[in-house]
């Protein structure tokens, strides 16, 4: 059974282009895998706590030595990591806020960036531990073109996913919506239509 993890990060619950695109991507992927098991994290509607000193201590304390509070803190991070590791496909909504990714999505990445869980250090350098997972990213922006000099989001997300071991990342983009909405959405829809389901 195919397992799909959907991550939405737009703070808009209505009128979000990235949510519309993740809906369309999900429809295509699920149509190809009708028995798929889908897990959804809506980071825009339900933001994760930011990582702080308490988080750092909690996740680096052996499980059998954690206080109840530390166990609760680590449990969320553990659950997020387990969702990602279990996924065959992860679909990520990436709206561009101020030329970068939403803080909600950054918090998700931070919660999972744990040595020994999603990566490890070796003599040859870091090695990602999340294997055989494909990422499909819905990039939406009013005018920050995908891959341009002012796009500080897509390259960072690609790097972080690769750091975790996810090197198969495809991006569909509606990246000039405020300039030409129809053309921008057509470009994204063409990209979705060309995805290998």
């Amino acid at each position: 059974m195919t397992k799909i993890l959907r991550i939405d990060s737009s703070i808009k619950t209505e009128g979000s282009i990235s949510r519309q695109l993740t809906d369309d991507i999900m429809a295509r992927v699920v149509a190809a895998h009708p028995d798929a098991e889908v897990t959804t994290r809506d980071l825009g509607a339900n933001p994760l706590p930011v990582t702080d000193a308490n988080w750092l201590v909690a996740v680096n304390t052996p499980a059998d030595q954690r206080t109840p509070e530390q166990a609760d803190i680590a449990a969320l991070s553990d659950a997020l990591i387990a969702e990602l590791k279990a996924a065959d496909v992860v679909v990520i909504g990436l709206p561009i806020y101020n030329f970068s990714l939403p803080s909600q999505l950054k918090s998700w990445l931070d919660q999972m960036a744990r040595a020994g869980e999603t990566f490890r250090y070796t003599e040859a350098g870091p090695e990602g531990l999340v294997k055989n997972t494909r990422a499909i990213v819905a990039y939406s922006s009013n005018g920050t073109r995908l891959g341009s000099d002012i796009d500080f989001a897509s390259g960072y997300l690609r790097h972080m996913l690769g750091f975790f071991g996810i090197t198969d990342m495809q991006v569909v983009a509606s990246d000039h919506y405020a300039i030409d909405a129809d053309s921008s959405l057509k470009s994204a829809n063409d990209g979705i239509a060309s995805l290998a389901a």
Side-chain angles (χ1 to χ4, degrees):
M1 176 186 296
T2 300
K3 294 187 177 182
I4 305 169
L5 173 61
R6 174 178 176 163
I7 304 295
D8 282 303
S9 61
S10 174
I11 58 176
K12 295 180 183 177
T13 54
E14 300 291 335
S16 164
I17 300 303
S18 68
R19 288 179 186 274
Q20 177 182 331
L21 296 179
T22 53
D23 280 346
D24 294 343
I25 292 167
M26 288 296 298
R28 180 167 176 79
V29 176
V30 171
H33 305 279
D35 64 340
E37 178 182 312
V38 177
T39 300
T40 300
R41 284 277 176 184
D42 190 335
L43 308 177
N46 300 290
L48 298 171
V50 297
T51 53
D52 58 12
N54 292 329
W55 177 89
L56 189 63
V57 171
V59 299
N60 286 294
T61 298
D64 61 351
Q65 297 176 30
R66 290 173 183 154
T67 66
E69 181 184 5
Q70 290 172 336
D72 286 344
I73 291 171
L76 174 59
S77 180
D78 289 343
L80 296 169
I81 290 170
E83 289 172 354
L84 184 65
K85 285 184 173 179
D88 300 296
V89 181
V90 56
V91 176
I92 302 173
L94 176 58
I96 303 306
Y97 294 165
N98 302 317
F99 312 105
S100 191
L101 70 170
S103 59
Q104 292 81 359
L105 186 55
K106 176 70 163 58
S107 292
W108 180 73
L109 293 166
D110 288 343
Q111 285 279 350
M112 290 185 298
R114 288 170 53 190
E117 295 290 343
T118 52
F119 71 94
R120 67 180 177 183
Y121 292 111
T122 72
E123 291 182 1
E127 176 190 357
L129 300 177
V130 182
K131 306 292 187 181
N132 304 313
T133 299
R134 171 189 180 201
I136 305 173
V137 176
Y139 178 104
S140 66
S141 171
N142 280 333
T144 301
R145 297 283 188 156
L146 175 68
S148 68
D149 289 345
I150 58 172
D151 166 20
F152 302 108
S154 65
Y156 175 77
L157 182 59
R158 183 180 298 276
H159 175 79
M160 288 303 299
L161 293 178
F163 187 71
F164 297 157
I166 302 172
T167 56
D168 180 1
M169 176 177 136
Q170 297 168 280
V171 182
V172 297
S174 170
D175 60 4
H176 54 288
Y177 189 81
I179 300 164
D180 185 340
D182 291 341
S183 169
S184 188
L185 287 175
K186 182 180 185 307
S187 177
N189 289 329
D190 288 347
I192 292 170
S194 69
L195 288 172

